[in-house]
Structures are given as C-alpha cells and as structure tokens.
Amino acid sequence: MKTIDLMYRTMFAELVQRSLDASFETDFSTSGNFVRVPVKGRYYWYFEETQPKKTRKYVGPADDPEIARRVESFQSIKDDLRGRRKLVSTLTREAGLAGPDRFTGDVVAAMGAAGIFRLRGVLVGTVAFQTYAGHLGVRLPGASLQTGDADFAQHYSVSSTVEDSLPPVIDILKSVDATFRAIPHRSDPHRITQFENAARYRVEFLTPNRGSDDYADHASPMPALGGASAQPLRFLDFLIHEPVRTVMLHRSGVPVIVPSPERYAVHKLIVASRRQSDVNGIAKREKDVYQASLLIEALEATRRQEELAEVFAEAWGRGQSWRAAIQKGLSLLPEKRKAAAELRLGDALSSIGAELEGFTDAAAK
C-alpha cells in the first residue's frame, strides 16, 4: 500500500475545502439570507429567499461547525473553477489518484448540485470507495474501483423532517442522459427506488432498515428524494453513521459525503457474508472482501488503526449475528489476505486496549 507525498495530500485537502466552499456558493444566492430554525428541540440552518416568492431551503444542523463556518464566510466565498480543475488534473495525473469514469462523475455531480448531500444523503458503494484514495492519501488498485452504478442512502427520519426536497430525480438524471427511466420496485410497483439508462447504468436509493425484516421487500417513501423511494437495507445505519466530507476527482472537483473508510471496511465484511451464491453474488462478494482488506491495509498505512478498532469493536459488540457475519466475511478472503487482515485488526484493537471475546485471541495466533 503506497501513500502519496505530503505535497499531494496537502493539495487534496485544499481541493476539498475549495470545492465545498464553491458548492455552497452555487447552492445559495447572495440575494438571500441564512436563518436558524428550531425543529423538535434542535436548531437547523435554512436559506431563505423572498423573490420571486418566499422560500426556505434546508442547509444542515446549526451545531455542525463546518456549516457554521461557511455561513459566517458566505459573502467572501468566490468560485475559482479554473484553479480547482488544475488541482484535479495534478492529483490524477501526477499523484496517481483515481477519479471516477466520466459518466459516473457527471451523475454524482448532477445529484450533488440538485441537493442530495445538502439534504444529508450519503454516497455509498464502489463510487464512494473511489474517493478514499484521496481522502486517505494512498493509491488503490484499479480493479477495486470499477462499477456500473451509483447508490445514494438517506435516513427516513431525515427525509421526513427536513421540509425540503430534491427536484424530480428523473429530471436530474435525464439532464445527464435522456435515456434514463424509472424502474418500478419489484414488490411495490407504484414506488421507484432505481433508475436505469439505455446502457443499463443504474442509480439506486437506499435507507436503513432498523425494524423487522418484513420491511426488506417493500420500498420506503422518502419525502426529500424528489419522488423517489428507497430500498430498506439491514446494517446500512451502521455504514452511514457519522459520514465524512470529501471530494470526487472529477472535472473541477465534486464535493460529496461518503461513509467513513473504517465503517465502509467493516460493513463490506458484513454484507459479503450475506451475498447470494449465484454468479453475480459471488462476484460482488469477492469485490466486497477485497475492498475491505484494502481499506484495512490503508488505514494501517496511514496510522488510523484507532478509528478502525473503535468501529470494529462497535460492530462486534452488536451481537452474535454481527460477529458471525464479520467472521464469515473474513473467511471469504484468500488465506494470505485473511491472515494479514486479522493481524492488522488485532494490532488495531491492541492500540486501544480492546479485547473482543471470540476474536482477539484467535487473531493473535
């Protein structure tokens, strides 16, 4: 696992900041004002405009320091599109960091401009994995980055309370490719959780399923998703808890919100254990555990073992079904990768003084 030079890591951090600032300016016209609004005992920032009619657009929690900083400096934010394009070019060509394919980048950029991340949506799946090279400052193998879809997740509790919504999702996607069409949900044909274009590229919306598994076959209505519903998934709440802001290396930089890399790694071990045994399921399972092992290695290389250990211990402590899933996920790795991943996890747990029954002793052997 090769890390990139400090110069490029600094450059990436600058691109993240400038891309976030630029997106904030794009979302909000200087003709409006920010207002703090109480909702169920907490304060949230909304952007209010009065022309041509009074409207309010959700921004985010008032206690989020990054949002508060941008609200304060809103008037001074300037768009430097050309400079950011040069940063992206340098990071991809000279530092060897991977960006998405052009089409995926355009899809995510369109969804971001429409407000998916402002409305606390999270980019998940392999497209999110592609951003970890820059976020962690490492080079990731190209085979681990290939994808043919883009997945977005949002909590139902967020979608139902922000009092704001994306424009119609189908319109957003058609602005990228006019062949996109809605795919009726298999169990709820009047709800849409997926969209597909003529090349069979798919965009899907997901939401955590924290109730009975009976809900797994039904689409969840999502008021903030521009007419789209979402597919409930077990373990997704773990993945998208405390996500991170970063940037996708596409065009002038696309600011995104993705799961933390340590949660992504542990989550991939879990979902790998639940894949079906058909050809497609086996291919996805191999990719899951490969990505998990790469991130475990990258987190060690970048001295983030403590973050990994804390998240791993959290998942391990959620009960026997979680432990069994993690153990099965590790067992799906080739023997050398399995041994290396277990050793790294054991070292990480030792760094925070954690001993996990059923894992720590076995990993030490």
Side-chain angles (χ1 to χ4, degrees):
M1 182 65 62
K2 294 182 178 180
T3 59
I4 62 174
D5 291 343
L6 176 60
M7 176 183 69
Y8 295 124
R9 298 200 298 272
T10 303
M11 192 178 295
F12 184 86
E14 179 185 352
L15 176 64
V16 170
Q17 190 63 66
R18 286 164 64 173
S19 296
L20 288 169
D21 288 345
S23 72
F24 203 71
E25 182 180 71
T26 300
D27 281 344
F28 303 106
S29 166
T30 54
S31 63
N33 294 291
F34 291 94
V35 293
R36 292 173 78 243
V37 179
V39 180
K40 295 183 179 180
R42 290 187 66 189
Y43 279 91
Y44 296 85
W45 283 111
Y46 282 76
F47 187 74
E48 186 173 270
E49 293 185 278
T50 57
Q51 297 295 331
K53 63 179 181 179
K54 186 174 181 177
T55 59
R56 277 186 179 176
K57 182 184 289 187
Y58 175 80
V59 179
D63 56 3
D64 185 321
E66 194 64 28
I67 291 176
R69 186 193 66 78
R70 285 198 199 86
V71 169
E72 292 173 3
S73 62
F74 176 63
Q75 297 298 332
S76 64
I77 294 173
K78 302 297 180 182
D79 190 9
D80 58 346
L81 182 66
R82 183 176 299 175
R84 289 186 288 115
R85 281 185 181 273
K86 186 175 181 180
L87 285 174
V88 171
S89 177
T90 300
L91 288 166
T92 53
R93 295 181 182 181
E94 296 182 18
L97 295 179
D101 66 87
R102 183 59 63 92
F103 187 79
T104 294
D106 286 347
V107 167
V108 176
M111 289 297 299
I116 185 68
F117 303 118
R118 176 176 58 79
L119 296 174
R120 295 164 66 186
V122 182
L123 179 66
V124 297
T126 295
V127 183
F129 180 84
Q130 293 172 346
T131 69
Y132 294 140
H135 180 71
L136 294 173
V138 297
R139 293 186 179 91
L140 295 172
S144 65
L145 306 174
Q146 298 172 5
T147 186
D149 52 30
D151 300 329
F152 299 89
Q154 186 188 54
H155 283 284
Y156 173 77
S157 59
V158 170
S159 196
S160 62
T161 60
V162 295
E163 298 181 355
D164 196 357
S165 177
L166 297 174
V169 168
I170 188 62
D171 292 347
I172 299 169
L173 296 177
K174 280 182 174 291
S175 72
V176 179
D177 182 347
T179 69
F180 266 110
R181 63 187 180 90
I183 307 296
H185 190 271
R186 61 181 180 273
S187 300
D188 296 328
H190 297 297
R191 297 193 185 280
I192 305 298
T193 64
Q194 296 184 31
F195 300 81
E196 184 179 80
N197 72 355
R200 306 200 70 178
Y201 187 100
R202 288 205 171 195
V203 176
E204 184 171 11
F205 296 91
L206 311 168
T207 194
N209 178 14
R210 302 190 67 178
S212 167
D213 282 338
D214 293 340
Y215 293 105
D217 288 332
H218 297 280
S220 174
M222 303 293 283
L225 290 185
S229 298
Q231 175 63 43
L233 289 183
R234 183 69 69 188
F235 306 110
L236 190 64
D237 61 309
F238 171 84
L239 175 66
I240 65 175
H241 182 62
E242 297 182 339
V244 297
R245 289 187 177 91
T246 187
V247 68
M248 176 181 287
L249 296 177
H250 175 70
R251 299 189 187 274
S252 60
V254 178
V256 295
I257 296 178
V258 298
S260 68
E262 57 271 15
R263 286 188 180 274
Y264 189 102
V266 176
H267 182 260
K268 280 300 181 183
L269 292 175
I270 294 170
V271 298
S273 71
R274 297 167 65 87
R275 296 289 191 190
Q276 296 182 359
S277 296
D278 57 11
V279 174
N280 187 47
I282 291 172
K284 289 184 176 180
R285 181 176 19 182
E286 291 176 351
K287 191 173 186 179
D288 288 339
V289 294
Y290 183 46
Q291 289 182 352
S293 67
L294 286 173
L295 284 180
I296 291 170
E297 184 180 355
L299 288 163
E300 178 190 53
T302 55
R303 300 182 180 276
R304 301 190 185 204
Q305 299 100 316
E306 292 186 2
E307 292 93 328
L308 173 62
E310 289 169 358
V311 166
F312 188 88
E314 176 192 333
W316 194 264
R318 290 202 179 190
Q320 186 55 45
S321 63
W322 285 63
R323 298 179 188 182
I326 293 169
Q327 288 175 319
K328 183 176 179 180
L330 286 167
S331 73
L332 293 170
L333 283 165
E335 189 56 39
K336 286 185 177 180
R337 280 196 169 273
K338 174 178 178 292
E342 289 180 338
L343 180 60
R344 290 185 174 106
L345 287 166
D347 289 344
L349 291 166
S350 296
S351 72
I352 64 169
E355 295 186 6
L356 305 184
E357 182 181 356
F359 178 81
T360 306
D361 291 340
K365 293 180 180 180

